[in-house]
Amino acid sequence: MSFRLSQRDKDIIAFINQFRAVDRDSLVDLFFKQLKSPINACNSIMIRLYRLGLIERTQQYSPTVYLPVDAKIKKNSQKILHFLSILDIYKQMCTYSAPKQVIVEDKPTGRKGGIEPDLFCIFKGSPFWIEIQRNQYSEQKMQAKINLYEEFFFSDEWKALHWQPEDRSAIFPSVILITPVRYAVTSDHIRIIQVTSIHELMEKYKSSAKQQRDGKPKTSASSGGIKINLT
């Protein structure tokens, strides 16, 4: 069968391959919002791509969730909710500024037992590793996770990661914990930011920036250009 894919078709397929699970409404927001009937247009194109065998789908969720053709997760897997959580964080960032160098389920150490953040990106000029905690964990388990980041920090391997700037010193990303629970985790070497959402992160950023404009004492820390209130 011969068929021609539009650039948008290719972008949608690449996006699904990148994020592993993408719901219909997210596709509408990201690719069809400017059209007169965005939902109908999205449904029509996604059905076509599915019938062409270029994407998979699961109707265990409403609206439909689309998966890569070679998806290694079952169509009723809880892992799908995990990937949708990552997608939600990405979409929150897009409402402020499109993140760059996005890596889903980053494995910067390249080996088992190292850090495995849910998402890496450069957001508003600063690099972040993002951990999305949908479940509550013990303080010990969360501190162990932070300890792995410290181990990586001392390895200096992060200085050679492909996204590091070529014209200035390497930057170790801040670690954002997206969690409804605040954990008593600490580090003397890496910046840890605990928020419930990217929206809360940006509220802290705005509050910190306002304090500096008003000449109040600094209660923030800098990470490559973004000032974030850590309290």
Side-chain angles (χ1 to χ4, degrees), residues 15-228:
F15 190 80
I16 292 170
N17 288 339
Q18 181 182 24
F19 281 86
R20 323 284 173 81
V22 181
D23 62 286
R24 192 278 314 275
D25 286 354
S26 292
L27 291 170
V28 169
D29 288 342
L30 295 166
F31 294 97
F32 298 91
K33 209 169 186 178
Q34 74 284 4
L35 300 182
K36 186 176 180 182
S37 301
I39 293 176
N40 290 340
C42 180
N43 286 340
S44 175
I45 286 175
M46 298 314 293
I47 288 171
R48 178 170 60 86
L49 294 179
Y50 173 70
R51 288 176 176 168
L52 289 170
L54 299 174
I55 56 171
E56 267 296 341
R57 70 183 183 188
T58 173
Q59 294 177 309
Q60 299 275 342
Y61 303 87
S62 182
T64 300
V65 171
Y66 295 93
L67 312 167
V69 170
D70 60 351
K72 296 177 181 178
I73 52 177
K74 295 180 180 178
K75 293 185 178 181
N76 60 351
S77 170
Q78 287 295 304
K79 189 78 170 169
I80 289 175
L81 294 177
H82 166 72
F83 287 124
L84 292 177
S85 297
I86 296 173
L87 175 61
D88 182 61
I89 294 302
Y90 171 82
K91 287 169 57 185
Q92 287 182 40
M93 287 189 285
C94 285
T95 64
Y96 301 98
S97 176
K100 300 175 182 177
Q101 301 282 353
V102 176
I103 305 173
V104 176
E105 291 199 329
D106 192 15
K107 295 178 176 59
T109 68
R111 56 181 176 270
K112 264 195 167 185
I115 63 171
E116 295 186 0
D118 297 312
L119 189 66
F120 168 80
C121 67
I122 295 176
F123 178 54
K124 287 190 157 295
S126 297
F128 294 99
W129 277 314
I130 302 175
E131 298 269 1
I132 303 168
Q133 307 301 141
R134 294 176 53 236
N135 301 310
Q136 186 170 348
Y137 296 100
S138 67
E139 301 280 356
Q140 292 82 0
K141 185 168 184 177
M142 292 303 296
Q143 185 61 55
K145 189 185 288 279
I146 297 303
N147 293 346
L148 285 177
Y149 279 95
E150 288 196 331
E151 285 178 22
F152 192 46
F153 175 81
F154 286 114
S155 76
D156 279 351
E157 294 174 26
W158 53 274
K159 293 180 180 179
L161 293 173
H162 76 275
W163 49 263
Q164 289 286 4
E166 295 180 0
D167 56 345
R168 53 196 170 97
S169 299
I171 305 168
F172 192 86
S174 299
V175 178
I176 300 178
L177 302 180
I178 304 285
T179 168
V181 178
R182 190 170 183 88
Y183 294 96
V185 292
T186 60
S187 173
D188 294 328
H189 308 285
I190 62 175
R191 178 172 293 110
I192 306 163
I193 303 163
Q194 298 190 59
V195 289
T196 58
S197 66
I198 296 299
H199 300 311
E200 183 185 346
L201 175 77
M202 295 309 295
E203 284 300 315
K204 289 190 172 189
Y205 164 63
K206 287 195 296 185
S207 171
S208 173
K210 183 176 185 303
Q211 282 187 345
Q212 290 190 32
R213 286 197 306 271
D214 294 345
K216 294 180 180 178
K218 290 185 179 180
T219 57
S220 62
S222 174
S223 174
I226 186 170
K227 308 276 186 191
I228 301 167

